Amino acid sequence: MSKAAILEALRQHPFTHDMEEAWKEVLAEMARLQTYPPDALLLREGRAADAFFLIVDGLVAIEMFAPERGTLRLQTVSAGEVVGWSWALPPYRWEFDARALAETTAVVLDAAALRARMSQDCALAAWILSRLLAVVAGRLKATRLQLLDLYAPSERRTP
């Protein structure tokens, strides 16, 4: 895909739409637009966290493997959301799997290049990390609600 297509995706995506244009240009240099077919893995638990995904279109399941229970879907992420923050924290290894549930297109940012740029530009780092922290907080809230439902007395559980 062309740099112009990547820039347009960055301009439209809720994570980056109000980012300074100069920073979008920087991100576009380290990004690619990639489409994943249904059931394709975007990332695998334990492997190097080498990318940051801005979901443009599609649906992605965040999953983990539990012994004796198999693969568990923790959350579903759709267009306008992001996948992956392990790239921002040492030891830079994925904590979960992420699988496309439908054909999914994402802006895929090179994590090493992004970390290097953030180490040179504190304002960019602060901007990205504050946005990422909001994503993490939202996911933790969703997990908390999921756990409340899971551990509620059976007569109070939602169908």
Side-chain angles (χ1 to χ4, degrees):
M1 285 284 178
S2 70
K3 182 179 173 186
I6 294 168
L7 268 172
E8 186 56 31
L10 290 170
R11 288 180 184 121
Q12 298 299 319
H13 198 278
F15 190 87
T16 51
H17 78 278
D18 60 347
M19 173 185 264
E20 290 182 24
E21 190 65 22
W23 285 343
K24 289 177 195 165
E25 296 269 347
V26 167
L27 294 185
E29 292 297 326
M30 62 183 75
R32 68 186 188 280
L33 269 176
Q34 185 160 339
T35 300
Y36 299 88
D39 206 39
L41 282 173
L42 281 70
L43 52 100
R44 170 70 85 185
E45 180 180 356
R47 291 194 183 155
D50 59 358
F52 179 37
F53 302 84
L54 306 178
I55 305 303
V56 174
D57 189 42
L59 204 58
V60 177
I62 308 298
E63 304 172 334
M64 66 178 288
F65 181 80
E68 298 183 25
R69 294 190 68 195
T71 300
L72 302 173
R73 184 175 303 165
L74 304 174
Q75 292 178 329
T76 304
V77 177
S78 59
E81 296 184 88
V82 304
V83 172
W85 60 73
S86 296
W87 63 268
L89 303 166
Y92 311 117
R93 297 268 172 216
W94 296 121
E95 296 289 329
F96 303 101
D97 293 344
R99 179 183 313 279
L101 296 175
E103 185 172 275
T104 298
T105 301
V107 175
V108 183
L109 294 155
D110 179 279
L114 184 54
R115 285 191 303 268
R117 183 59 187 228
M118 288 168 57
S119 73
Q120 298 168 358
D121 187 337
C122 292
L124 174 63
W127 195 94
I128 288 175
L129 292 176
S130 69
R131 287 292 174 101
L132 201 54
L133 186 56
V135 170
V136 172
R139 299 270 171 85
L140 287 174
K141 182 178 180 180
T143 300
R144 178 180 173 269
L145 294 173
Q146 207 173 15
L147 288 171
L148 285 173
D149 189 48
L150 179 66
Y151 290 107
S154 59
E155 66 273 3
R156 289 185 26 206
R157 286 192 190 155
T158 57

